[in-house]
Amino acid sequence: MDRRKFIEQSVLAGAVFSSLPLLTSLKRTTQYKTALIGSGWWGTNILRCAIQAGESKVVALCDVDENQLKITNTEVTKLTPDKPKLYKDYREMLLKEKPEIVIVATPDHWHALCCIAAVESGAHVYVEKPICHTIQEGRAMVNATRKHGRIVQVGTHRRVSPHNVSGMEFLKSGKAGKVGMARAFVHYGGGAGQKVANEEVPKGLDWDMYCGPAQLVPYNKTIHPKGFRNYLNFANGTLGDWGIHWLDQVMWWSEQKYPKKVYSTGGRAIRQDNTDAPDHQVAVYDFDGFTLEWEHRNFGANNAEKTHPQQAVGVYFYGTEGTFHMGWLDGWTFYPSNPNKPVIHQDAQLNKPDDQNIQQLWANFLSSIKTNTPPICEIEVGQRSTNLALLGMLSYKLGRSIIWDGEKEIIPGDAEANKLLRRDYRGEWKYPEA
């Protein structure tokens, strides 16, 4: 995409969503010095939205893979006159460039260290979901954000998507009646897969730095690029990746901060590839007044439950007046219990080409920085939703249920479970203490 086409699309997107209350007219006279840590496809997508907003000067790109850095740098120079400096180590970048805004879009196991270092350096941060790899990392991120008085926005962008906003208004109005249960789910097709041999580390990739605080494992192309999410050394599988989006919708609706009890089970019934995350999983969360269930499969796509030709995803809220489905590409739909009442539907309004609403979340981020007010997806909101996914994985690893004290963020009287709230870091890397 060239600069002229990019500007045309930016103007069009701004016109489509200009009525949203998330946008701000408080235009800054100088651009924010902006840096990206993690220049993969998704980090580049976020940066593209930052450029599109017109208030960022891209001063630095940071990645352990020189190949990805070059691709992103080429795009930046096509879209802007900026000439960002390229770095492998985020610590050096923060010290030398002193960015005002930092985008953290690394694999999950790096989120905490990069985010904390950025706020300590004085930057505001847009951090991708899930915010962390272990629960105590998330607490350290919240505490660092509060200590240094920075704005941290989490990439749970469905909180600004127009149909999610209107759907949440519908639910909170009581039109679905009293909701006693919610079921969040993501189902994909796929087979067993196959083993892929480890390889020599590609030229230009610092694999030791990629693994960072996690265990050093042999390089495999199914991990990088893009495949890290289903390796538990670096992420938390489908529950950590997709789960946080849909679990977050339930947290938004309920306004509760945490569940009381969690149980998860699942396994690898089909997959025979290099990954080790569960290919199917169920997690059940007990809240005050309702039960939340999560389920996913990475095989046997659920054609019987598709509400869109391409997707079987979302949340069903089961209320006394009917069933409400919050979806993605298909918007939301309410199915009344009374057969004489019509089905109600709201189409999605999503930006192209990614079918997301990152632009609106970035606009809210900028507004929050200017007004020094919490953003829609501020760090503690993201932490609570991330905790749901991580607690589900913790129960899965234990093979039993856990009781959760959300105020103290511990599992009372359960030393075995509490050990999984954190993990040992490797080598020079120090676990962030809350």
Side-chain angles (χ1 to χ4, degrees):
M1 183 184 298
D2 60 25
R3 193 175 305 170
R4 180 178 176 182
K5 185 68 174 177
F6 183 73
I7 293 172
E8 289 174 354
Q9 290 194 4
S10 301
V11 171
L12 179 61
V16 170
F17 292 98
S18 60
S19 62
L20 288 179
L22 309 171
L23 305 184
T24 177
S25 59
L26 301 173
K27 196 79 172 180
R28 200 176 190 233
T29 55
T30 57
Q31 293 180 313
Y32 292 98
K33 294 168 59 181
T34 302
L36 171 64
I37 305 176
S39 63
W41 73 279
W42 189 247
T44 302
N45 191 43
I46 300 168
L47 182 63
R48 197 180 295 118
C49 290
I51 294 170
Q52 196 171 33
E55 297 193 52
S56 284
K57 177 180 175 60
V58 185
V59 297
L61 304 172
C62 181
D63 202 292
V64 298
D65 190 339
E66 294 176 4
N67 307 295
Q68 292 194 160
L69 272 178
K70 291 175 182 177
I71 293 170
T72 303
N73 188 47
T74 298
E75 178 160 359
V76 169
T77 55
K78 285 181 179 178
L79 299 178
T80 76
D82 302 339
K83 299 185 183 303
K85 299 288 183 62
L86 306 183
Y87 291 89
K88 182 182 74 174
D89 192 317
Y90 68 93
R91 297 167 296 183
E92 180 185 8
M93 182 274 290
L94 292 172
L95 181 64
K96 290 184 177 179
E97 303 302 327
K98 296 179 172 53
E100 297 167 279
I101 291 177
V102 172
I103 301 167
V104 177
T106 62
D108 301 0
H109 71 295
W110 268 116
H111 287 177
L113 290 180
C114 293
C115 179
I116 291 171
V119 298
E120 287 177 344
S121 74
H124 302 291
V125 177
Y126 181 111
V127 61
E128 252 311 297
K129 58 79 203 168
I131 68 163
C132 53
H133 187 263
T134 58
I135 286 173
Q136 289 185 1
E137 287 177 331
R139 172 45 54 191
M141 294 168 76
V142 172
N143 290 353
T145 301
R146 302 287 185 256
K147 177 180 178 181
H148 296 281
R150 299 293 85 191
I151 300 296
V152 176
Q153 180 85 288
V154 179
T156 44
H157 48 80
R158 284 175 173 81
R159 288 214 177 197
V160 300
S161 294
H163 79 270
N164 294 82
V165 173
S166 67
M168 203 56 60
E169 290 172 352
F170 183 96
L171 281 169
K172 291 190 176 189
S173 73
K175 292 176 182 176
K178 179 175 173 54
V179 175
M181 179 180 177
R183 180 169 65 92
F185 62 98
V186 172
H187 299 303
Y188 284 107
Q194 59 184 4
K195 294 285 187 181
V196 175
N198 296 330
E199 302 175 8
E200 292 294 321
V201 177
K203 186 177 180 181
L205 171 62
D206 186 336
W207 184 243
D208 185 86
M209 187 69 169
Y210 181 100
C211 293
Q215 180 183 356
L216 181 64
V217 296
Y219 171 77
N220 193 287
K221 65 182 181 182
T222 63
I223 301 174
H224 174 78
K226 289 189 178 182
F228 69 89
R229 290 178 178 85
N230 280 305
Y231 286 86
L232 299 183
N233 191 39
F234 305 113
N236 279 282
T238 302
L239 179 53
D241 177 30
W242 266 106
I244 183 177
H245 277 304
W246 301 111
L247 299 175
D248 180 66
Q249 294 288 294
V250 178
M251 298 291 278
W252 183 13
W253 158 75
S254 73
E255 299 182 3
Q256 294 191 33
K257 296 180 179 180
Y258 45 78
K260 300 178 295 182
K261 186 177 180 180
V262 181
Y263 173 68
S264 181
T265 188
R268 292 177 60 83
I270 304 298
R271 286 291 174 91
Q272 298 179 26
D273 55 13
N274 296 67
T275 65
D276 59 354
D279 63 14
H280 69 286
Q281 188 172 6
V282 175
V284 180
Y285 303 85
D286 288 343
F287 284 86
D288 286 329
F290 75 97
T291 299
L292 166 61
E293 178 191 356
W294 163 263
E295 62 178 57
H296 77 255
R297 285 191 306 280
N298 298 327
F299 59 87
N302 191 356
N303 292 326
E305 207 167 21
K306 276 188 177 179
T307 54
H308 186 278
Q310 300 175 37
Q311 296 287 334
V313 303
V315 189
Y316 281 108
F317 293 85
Y318 301 101
T320 54
E321 296 298 317
T323 298
F324 180 97
H325 173 248
M326 184 76 85
W328 173 20
L329 302 176
D330 46 345
W332 64 260
T333 307
F334 177 64
Y335 305 90
S337 299
N338 187 337
N340 296 320
K341 292 184 177 181
V343 171
I344 303 172
H345 177 76
Q346 172 73 56
D347 285 337
Q349 290 177 268
L350 302 166
N351 301 333
K352 297 297 181 181
D354 62 355
D355 285 321
Q356 313 287 358
N357 293 113
I358 310 302
Q359 294 172 28
Q360 288 67 50
L361 195 60
W362 188 268
N364 173 254
F365 180 43
L366 292 179
S367 178
S368 296
I369 292 171
K370 294 167 189 174
T371 59
N372 195 32
T373 56
I376 283 179
C377 303
E378 75 104 13
I379 185 64
E380 197 154 14
V381 169
Q383 182 226 11
R384 291 170 187 158
S385 296
T386 296
N387 278 353
L388 282 190
L390 298 184
L391 287 169
M393 288 304 297
L394 190 152
S395 172
Y396 166 78
K397 292 173 183 177
L398 282 174
R400 57 178 172 82
S401 63
I402 57 169
I403 303 297
W404 179 240
D405 183 335
E407 290 297 324
K408 296 180 179 178
E409 295 182 348
I410 61 170
I411 302 155
D414 194 335
E416 180 186 21
N418 282 316
K419 286 180 181 179
L420 297 180
L421 296 176
R422 60 179 293 155
R423 68 169 174 176
D424 292 334
Y425 274 10
R426 180 177 67 95
E428 66 178 291
W429 307 104
K430 183 180 179 182
Y431 194 94
E433 298 299 333

